[in-house]
Amino acid sequence: MPAFDLPPADLERYRPDVAEPADFDAFWKRTLGEAAGAGDVLVSADPVDNGLRLTETWDVTFRGFAGDPVRGWFSRPAGVGEPLPAVVEFAGYGRGRGLPHERLTWVNAGYAHLLMDNRGQGDQYGCGGDTPDPHAGAPGGPGPAARGLLDPHDHHFRRLITDAVRAVDAVRALPGVDASRVAVAGNSQGGGVALAVAGLVPDLAAVLVTAPFLCGFRRALDLTDASPYGEISAYLAVHRGVEEAAYRTLSYVEGISFARRAQAPAHFGVGLRDTVCPPSGAYAAFNRYAELTGGQEEKVLHAYPFNGHEGGDAVHVRRQLEWLRAALGS
């Protein structure tokens, strides 16, 4: 085990205190209420030719933060008529939704699948995105992690997390979805966003979180200069003396705080040599998961001692598939 983070035995019992703002719940209730008041969540769902015979895909637009249009790919197994449980997936940092044939695991497993585009991202990896961020003008760094860093109302992740909550509303409004069996899933940034949604949407059926970003900001900034945390450090290196304002903003998107409020059964994965999203953040979220809602829901964590940010890779995906089948009764 590399020395940059805690030893495995310490990780297993790691439950750090979190500096939560007093208005954390009110902040998110107000933010989500404003988004819901912008009109019906679903704007359009247009069939597209994805080049595949066994998967049907729709180009979806729904209303996210402030009613902004957010894009996504919605897919179902071709020729299946009955309502299906759905997986809403959130992409990693710097990625967009890409092309409709890129992410087929969940639909091939028999689920309806909505892949949400990341607003204002999509230019670092993959095949791009289609959702601009019209609210990205506040002071902050050029990368999403530091955009609007000095005020929680301006921060990029306030908007992205709101979009993600609205994505759950959108998939429930789409035809052929069993609205009572909706799971959220993601890796890295997507894992952190899935965890946030789990803390904000009380009736999810399951949550799958791998190598989550947004968890344990203060410790992560002490441990790694890798992006995305490194973008925050780089901004603070130039704008000296604003650290407390930045920490206050980040406290409103802290994954551990969302984890404490979650209720759905949860499946975690973490690589113990992950220098991008240090494993202590994932363990902190896991160990404090659901503690404000009873703490009795099913949760499981798979750790991969010799893996980094890739975690368990395809081995872990197979574990996710088996676990989700049992969790959704499908």
Side-chain angles (χ1 to χ4, degrees):
M1 175 68 189
F4 81 95
D5 208 338
L6 298 170
D10 291 343
L11 288 171
E12 291 174 3
R13 55 177 177 265
Y14 183 57
R15 298 173 61 90
D17 291 331
V18 178
E20 288 188 4
D23 65 339
F24 181 92
D25 294 310
F27 175 87
W28 282 106
K29 182 178 181 180
R30 184 170 58 253
T31 296
L32 298 179
E34 292 170 356
D40 292 341
V41 64
L42 194 61
V43 176
S44 62
D46 301 317
V48 297
D49 182 0
N50 59 19
L52 305 172
R53 293 185 179 182
L54 302 181
T55 300
E56 298 174 324
T57 301
W58 289 259
D59 184 351
V60 167
T61 301
F62 65 91
R63 290 186 176 90
F65 176 86
D68 297 338
V70 179
R71 306 288 290 277
W73 297 124
F74 176 64
S75 298
R76 282 175 45 92
V80 178
E82 70 268 18
L84 296 173
V87 175
V88 181
E89 184 178 3
F90 308 114
Y93 191 77
R95 288 185 179 272
R97 65 174 181 165
L99 300 174
H101 61 270
E102 286 188 66
R103 306 221 180 185
L104 301 176
T105 297
W106 299 115
V107 70
N108 279 342
Y111 302 109
H113 177 235
L114 178 64
L115 175 64
M116 186 187 85
D117 204 15
N118 285 327
R119 68 163 60 221
Q121 299 188 33
D123 298 321
Q124 296 184 32
Y125 308 99
C127 293
D130 300 291
T131 302
D133 185 1
H135 308 280
R147 288 179 193 160
L149 186 59
L150 302 186
D151 189 319
H153 294 89
D154 296 333
H155 195 227
H156 175 82
F157 281 96
R158 178 189 182 219
R159 301 188 291 277
L160 188 67
I161 290 169
T162 302
D163 292 347
V165 170
R166 296 290 280 164
V168 173
D169 296 334
V171 83
R172 286 174 164 161
L174 287 163
V177 169
D178 180 348
S180 68
R181 293 191 292 168
V182 175
V184 294
N187 301 328
S188 193
Q189 174 185 266
V193 170
L195 194 59
V197 175
L200 293 169
V201 179
D203 59 347
L204 291 174
V207 55
L208 301 107
V209 175
T210 310
F213 179 47
L214 305 176
C215 294
F217 280 104
R218 286 182 181 259
R219 180 170 175 81
L221 289 170
D222 287 341
L223 290 175
T224 182
D225 284 328
S227 177
Y229 291 111
E231 295 177 13
I232 298 171
S233 298
Y235 179 82
L236 296 177
V238 174
H239 300 274
R240 301 165 183 85
V242 301
E243 293 89 344
E244 288 310 310
Y247 285 136
R248 177 176 179 272
T249 293
L250 295 172
S251 71
Y252 286 90
V253 297
E254 171 58 65
I256 302 169
S257 295
F258 289 120
R260 298 180 67 219
R261 291 160 170 79
Q263 300 182 43
H267 187 279
F268 280 69
V270 59
L272 298 189
R273 298 174 183 245
D274 188 345
T275 58
V276 176
C277 295
S280 54
Y283 271 92
F286 177 79
N287 290 335
R288 303 198 66 179
Y289 190 88
E291 69 179 9
L292 294 182
T293 56
Q296 301 302 314
E297 288 291 353
E298 177 190 352
K299 63 179 182 178
V300 61
L301 183 148
H302 294 284
Y304 301 92
F306 294 96
N307 290 98
H309 197 54
E310 82 284 5
D313 208 358
V315 171
H316 187 66
V317 172
R318 179 58 184 267
R319 287 172 166 167
Q320 288 180 315
L321 290 167
E322 293 171 352
W323 180 87
L324 189 60
R325 186 184 303 121
L328 296 183
S330 58

